[in-house]
Amino acid sequence: MVHPPGVEVVEAQNELRPGGRAFNVMRLPDGGMMPNDGSCILAEPYSRLVYTDALLAGFRPAPSEPFMTVDLRLERTGDRQTLYSAHIMHSTAAKRAHHLEMGFEGGWGTTLEQLAGLVATLD
């Protein structure tokens, strides 16, 4: 599984269908565990995935206050070229700032670089 160095995904369950569970647990470099539970809102094969922690599987309201919704898109732009875009929406400006303080941009950037390296080995 692709993840930033020092972070390990120790459990994951992702049901890529509307209402499916979007769940993972990350072990952080300090040994702390970070569970993330939510729901898939939209899954378009090979092109788009939208998920949120505002809802749990089956579109049940989450007991905790929402943190973010993620909209990932893949768009073929040419022969063997794909544009990846990630739009991350936070429920408040304070949560967005907190996510940035957590190293969100660097972590997601590192993960994308690792994914690009993995894809390059498939050539």
Side-chain angles (χ1 to χ4, degrees), residues 45-101:
Y46 309 109
S47 63
R48 191 171 179 199
L49 178 63
V50 181
Y51 62 93
T52 186
D53 63 355
L55 300 167
L56 298 179
F59 299 119
R60 294 178 331 208
S64 58
E65 193 168 319
F67 184 69
M68 69 178 183
T69 297
V70 177
D71 185 350
L72 301 175
R73 296 177 188 227
L74 299 171
E75 180 184 344
R76 184 167 291 203
T77 58
D79 185 40
R80 300 174 55 89
Q81 295 181 352
T82 301
L83 175 65
Y84 165 93
S85 62
H87 183 195
I88 316 307
M89 298 162 277
H90 295 85
S91 57
T92 68
K95 288 182 182 178
R96 179 183 182 277
H98 177 67
H99 208 188
L100 290 170
E101 290 168 13

Side-chain angles (χ1 to χ4, degrees), residues 79-81 115-123:
D79 185 40
R80 300 174 55 89
Q81 295 181 352
L115 181 59
L118 178 64
V119 168
T121 67
L122 302 175
D123 290 340

Side-chain angles (χ1 to χ4, degrees), residues 5-67:
V7 175
E8 180 183 5
V9 177
V10 297
E11 186 177 351
Q13 180 184 4
N14 292 297
E15 300 167 355
L16 302 179
R17 59 176 175 75
R21 190 173 190 200
F23 174 78
N24 69 68
V25 178
M26 295 182 286
R27 180 180 298 125
L28 304 177
D30 66 3
M33 303 297 255
M34 180 183 288
N36 301 286
D37 203 359
S39 181
C40 177
I41 297 172
L42 177 70
E44 297 175 351
Y46 309 109
S47 63
R48 191 171 179 199
L49 178 63
V50 181
Y51 62 93
T52 186
D53 63 355
L55 300 167
L56 298 179
F59 299 119
R60 294 178 331 208
S64 58
E65 193 168 319
F67 184 69

